[in-house]
Amino acid sequence: MLAGERWGWRSGLCEALGMEIGVLGGTGPAGRGIATRLAAAGHEVIVGSRERSRSQSVVDDLREQWGARVDGLRAGTNHEAADAALVVLATVWDAAVPTATAHADQLAGNVVISMANGLEKHGRHFVPVRSPAGSIAAEVKAAAPGAYVVAAFHLVPAAALADISRPLSGDVLVVGDEEGRPTVLELIDAIPDLRAFDAGPLENAIGLETFAAALLTVNLRHKGEGSLRIEGVGPRATP
Amino acid sequence: MLAGERWGWRSGLCEALGMEIGVLGGTGPAGRGIATRLAAAGHEVIVGSRERSRSQSVVDDLREQWGARVDGLRAGTNHEAADAALVVLATVWDAAVPTATAHADQLAGNVVISMANGLEKHGRHFVPVRSPAGSIAAEVKAAAPGAYVVAAFHLVPAAALADISRPLSGDVLVVGDEEGRPTVLELIDAIPDLRAFDAGPLENAIGLETFAAALLTVNLRHKGEGSLRIEGVGPRATP
């Protein structure tokens, strides 16, 4: 069953299936997680890295672990990954803006997903790193102004994305440029177990990024690992 | 059943029952909602207003609507409300800081709950109002530095708080000063249907306040009205 069927909509999902997706910083925890989950959902995914040998090693490991389920994965450089029509910026948070800057020309006209949370851990809590632009996603947009920047996946743990033997739990709020947001909403709705919610323009990325500090602090102070659910909301309304 | 029983903890709940609570700005939608819900949970609640006649009128209306269930409500001025050991700042968001400033001396040593979200609506979305201090709650703390400021209730709709004929849905993340946070966590856990989550220090108020813009935008763009649930998390862990 496609995720969309639960919601009673189907239109447009086809475009979101079988896309070529580049993951910049694909060898770190967030990158491995999102690359694995997207490959398992039927996409062609270039796992980008500054060094191809590092990317090849990660792809080899993931193929050994998951076999044919991740047939869509292939190794590449960040430069190759940045040429995909849909690019996920999955580096550690403080490398997101420099990486966007380095590939700004390539990213122009592409949809770029920013999933970075700038967080610092102090003892038993996290706090958000304040950004002068409001959010890391806004800084990415400033660094690559031709890209259609969309922020998503902030509150889904990387380990959960990576473990495709288990269903995901958690809802995904999506914010960003109008030119990219519909594609990302469809991409996420087509991942089994995930539901995507349209939370407006890129200005709202600050809410997604800074809320992560609160949610991860809950995880440090309560038993278990929290994920976010939006209750009481159905399919997107027709504008 | 006390909310705490679901979680298997009870300690300290007694202190949170039957408190005297002052609501500054108690006659607006947020104020009426929180005052009604807290009175129904067994507290003595002073509905504060700049004008006592306005407060009396609101209390008369609420008593007519809910009868003995809101026996704990009484009318008062904001000045009277600010003397309660636990004070809820429930004005419209742009009055929160001026109100805290006006009552700063009285609020010293008291626990003050800030529930303000600074939001602007633009067509089919909300965006957060940026605060130089990071959050309105942080500005309240700067305005009333002797108060123990705790931020909570941002994502619970005022109308849902006010309608005590229906169970609430939604989880409440609580952030703030160490001296006030345990009291507020207990207060919320003792409200039927609500669960309180410890999300750390006041620095994390930015996440609660700005996330509200994203969640309310979801409400504009999807069918239904969303509330937040934290899944997979149990009782607070012993530090």
Side-chain angles (χ1 to χ4, degrees):
Chain A
M1 185 181 80
L2 289 172
E5 290 183 77
R6 284 180 300 173
W7 293 86
W9 77 73
R10 291 292 299 273
S11 64
L13 277 180
C14 296
E15 297 113 85
L17 291 171
M19 293 183 73
E20 188 185 66
I21 299 172
V23 180
L24 298 183
T27 59
R32 281 198 302 266
I34 195 76
T36 304
R37 188 63 65 165
L38 290 170
H43 302 285
E44 299 291 317
V45 182
I46 304 167
V47 178
S49 172
R50 280 174 297 184
E51 296 164 52
R52 180 187 300 275
S53 61
R54 173 99 184 96
S55 168
Q56 190 63 58
S57 158
V58 165
V59 169
D60 291 345
D61 286 351
L62 292 172
R63 285 185 185 282
E64 189 174 316
Q65 185 173 8
W66 302 113
R69 295 184 64 183
V70 294
D71 263 352
L73 290 180
R74 61 185 175 89
T77 60
N78 277 343
H79 187 86
E80 287 163 349
D83 278 333
L86 195 150
V87 175
V88 184
L89 199 46
T91 63
V92 290
W93 70 266
D94 50 357
V97 176
T99 302
T101 304
H103 298 279
D105 289 346
Q106 288 178 277
L107 297 177
N110 294 359
V111 177
V112 175
I113 299 178
S114 172
M115 55 190 297
N117 292 319
L119 301 178
E120 282 176 357
K121 187 163 184 265
H122 300 293
R124 288 180 67 241
H125 67 263
F126 287 90
V127 291
V129 173
R130 300 277 295 280
S131 157
S135 66
I136 292 171
E139 292 184 42
V140 166
K141 177 73 183 178
Y148 305 126
V149 178
V150 177
F153 293 116
H154 300 81
L155 305 172
V156 184
L161 283 171
D163 184 359
I164 55 174
S165 70
R166 296 181 185 210
L168 282 167
S169 73
D171 289 328
V172 179
L173 274 69
V174 179
V175 304
D177 292 333
E178 295 287 346
E179 297 88 344
R181 195 165 0 112
T183 301
V184 177
L185 287 164
E186 289 175 10
L187 178 83
I188 294 169
D189 277 328
I191 298 174
D193 315 309
L194 286 189
R195 300 189 305 173
F197 292 86
D198 182 351
L202 201 61
E203 282 165 277
N204 280 340
I206 186 174
L208 277 50
E209 295 181 12
T210 61
F211 189 79
L215 187 62
L216 291 174
T217 300
V218 168
N219 284 348
L220 291 180
R221 294 179 174 220
H222 289 249
K223 292 167 183 159
E225 179 167 85
S227 62
L228 186 86
R229 281 281 180 197
I230 307 296
E231 276 191 357
V233 178
R236 287 186 285 284
T238 313
Chain B
M1 184 181 81
L2 289 172
E5 290 184 77
R6 284 180 301 174
W7 293 86
W9 79 72
R10 290 291 301 273
S11 64
L13 277 180
C14 295
E15 297 113 84
L17 291 171
M19 293 183 74
E20 189 186 64
I21 300 172
V23 181
L24 298 183
T27 60
R32 280 197 303 266
I34 195 77
T36 304
R37 190 62 66 165
L38 290 171
H43 301 286
E44 299 291 316
V45 182
I46 303 167
V47 177
S49 173
R50 280 175 296 183
E51 296 164 52
R52 181 187 298 274
S53 60
R54 174 102 184 93
S55 168
Q56 190 64 56
S57 157
V58 165
V59 169
D60 291 346
D61 286 353
L62 292 172
R63 283 185 186 281
E64 187 175 319
Q65 185 174 9
W66 301 113
R69 295 184 65 183
V70 295
D71 264 351
L73 290 179
R74 63 185 175 89
T77 60
N78 277 343
H79 188 84
E80 288 164 347
D83 277 332
L86 195 150
V87 175
V88 183
L89 200 47
T91 63
V92 291
W93 70 266
D94 50 358
V97 175
T99 303
T101 304
H103 298 280
D105 288 347
Q106 288 178 277
L107 297 177
N110 294 0
V111 177
V112 175
I113 300 179
S114 172
M115 55 191 295
N117 292 319
L119 301 178
E120 282 175 359
K121 186 163 184 262
H122 300 294
R124 288 181 68 243
H125 67 263
F126 288 90
V127 291
V129 173
R130 300 277 296 282
S131 158
S135 66
I136 293 171
E139 292 183 41
V140 166
K141 177 71 182 179
Y148 304 129
V149 178
V150 177
F153 292 115
H154 300 80
L155 305 171
V156 184
L161 283 171
D163 185 359
I164 54 174
S165 70
R166 295 180 185 211
L168 282 167
S169 72
D171 289 329
V172 179
L173 273 69
V174 179
V175 304
D177 292 333
E178 294 287 345
E179 297 88 344
R181 194 164 1 109
T183 300
V184 177
L185 288 163
E186 288 174 11
L187 177 83
I188 294 169
D189 277 327
I191 297 174
D193 315 308
L194 286 188
R195 299 189 305 172
F197 291 87
D198 182 352
L202 201 61
E203 282 165 278
N204 279 339
I206 187 174
L208 277 50
E209 294 180 12
T210 61
F211 188 80
L215 187 62
L216 291 174
T217 300
V218 168
N219 285 347
L220 291 179
R221 294 180 172 220
H222 289 250
K223 292 167 183 158
E225 179 167 84
S227 63
L228 187 86
R229 281 281 178 195
I230 308 295
E231 277 190 357
V233 177
R236 288 186 284 284
T238 312

